[in-house]
Amino acid sequence: GLQIAREAIEGITAEAEIGRIYKGKVVTIKEFGAFVEFLPGRDGLCHVSELADFRVKNVEDVVKMGDEIMVKCLGVDEKGRVRLSRKAAMEDRGEAIARPAGSGEAAPANDAPPAKPAKFDKPRGRQPREGQPPREVSTEEAEVGKNYRGRVVSTKDFGAFIEYLPGKEGLCHVSELANFRVKKTEDIVKVGDEITIKYLGLDEKGRVRLSRKAVIAEREEQEKTEPAAPEAGPSEEPKS
């Protein structure tokens, strides 16, 4: 409850941060794009050209009033409006953008080779090279509150994706990388680094949440409570 209240207060007082990804709600639809409430009482424009990685003829083919979507803050335009991008957010998150029926994309002929998927159509994580067997995926169920030794597989402005079990990845948000404000993810971790993280559970979209900061805090607390080693003194001769 405290965490929810804190996030609500931070949302009310927060300023738009360029490069950050927000979960917003479509509040207005125009021919030129959709206005999205990405912070409490704060709207931004997701232009029709930023809705998808293909030509969008009709805004409502992609989003509708009340839809909740992920958008990336691109900055502010000459009119002082916040510029948002659904296309950039989905690309950063490694998610595919579904094409509406009749979007003008011709289906490949039966004898034609399938088109190569775009880079954001591929699942996150390291993929096996052609001719190699598929990567092992652990069947172990992660435990909330348990620490895991993981490997950084990709870094983004908003955090790092960590493979915490074979074939399983989660996001360690930039706010969970350290116990101080981190401006750049790669100031703390880089691809290939092995770090210890705590499994926090799943967010509202079912994505794994990890924290390096929680591990650091846990270790600092243990150091405070561990008794100090007794100092060595002169040995005493047994009394006769």
Side-chain angles (χ1 to χ4, degrees):
L2 288 173
Q3 177 70 11
I4 293 171
R6 189 186 75 171
E7 289 176 355
I9 293 169
E10 288 177 348
I12 293 170
T13 59
E15 290 294 327
E17 186 177 332
I18 295 175
R20 183 171 178 178
I21 293 177
Y22 298 88
K23 181 180 180 181
K25 184 175 182 178
V26 179
V27 293
T28 308
I29 288 180
K30 301 289 185 182
E31 291 181 0
F32 53 83
F35 285 93
V36 180
E37 184 179 28
F38 65 100
L39 286 172
R42 190 77 184 272
D43 297 352
L45 173 63
C46 185
H47 191 267
V48 64
S49 63
E50 293 295 335
L51 284 171
D53 64 319
F54 52 86
R55 182 178 176 83
V56 176
K57 294 182 180 179
N58 184 0
V59 174
E60 289 190 308
D61 288 342
V62 181
V63 295
K64 292 179 173 56
M65 284 283 293
D67 283 357
E68 291 189 342
I69 61 174
M70 305 303 291
V71 289
K72 183 175 183 176
C73 179
L74 302 181
V76 179
D77 66 14
E78 65 281 356
K79 294 185 178 180
R81 298 176 301 193
V82 176
R83 296 169 52 235
L84 303 173
S85 174
R86 174 176 177 265
K87 176 174 68 176
M90 297 188 76
E91 181 174 355
D92 282 359
R93 288 156 54 84
E95 297 176 355
I97 302 178
R99 297 175 184 267
S103 62
E105 297 291 330
N110 290 337
D111 57 348
K116 293 183 179 180
K119 63 180 178 181
F120 38 79
D121 291 330
K122 299 177 183 178
R124 284 192 297 264
R126 294 167 293 164
Q127 302 300 311
R129 295 180 181 178
E130 188 175 353
Q132 290 184 340
R135 280 181 50 77
E136 174 193 357
V137 177
S138 174
T139 58
E140 179 182 343
E141 290 294 328
E143 299 177 28
V144 175
K146 183 176 178 179
N147 294 345
Y148 294 87
R149 188 69 177 170
R151 181 182 176 88
V152 179
V153 293
S154 66
T155 57
K156 304 289 183 182
D157 291 340
F158 52 85
F161 286 98
I162 315 293
E163 185 178 31
Y164 62 97
L165 285 172
K168 292 187 177 182
E169 296 176 18
L171 173 65
C172 184
H173 191 266
V174 65
S175 63
E176 293 292 337
L177 282 171
N179 53 7
F180 53 85
R181 181 177 176 82
V182 176
K183 293 183 179 180
K184 186 179 179 183
T185 301
E186 292 196 344
D187 287 342
I188 306 298
V189 295
K190 293 179 173 58
V191 173
D193 286 355
E194 291 191 354
I195 61 173
T196 302
I197 42 82
K198 184 179 289 293
Y199 183 90
L200 301 182
L202 306 177
D203 65 11
E204 70 280 357
K205 286 186 172 289
R207 297 170 302 199
V208 173
R209 297 168 52 235
L210 306 172
S211 174
R212 177 176 177 269
K213 179 173 72 174
V215 174
I216 295 172
E218 191 176 73
R219 287 175 180 170
E220 289 177 347
E221 190 62 29
Q222 286 176 352
E223 289 174 0
K224 290 179 184 178
T225 56
E226 286 178 359
E231 294 184 4
S235 58
E236 295 184 1
E237 293 289 335
K239 296 180 180 179
S240 56

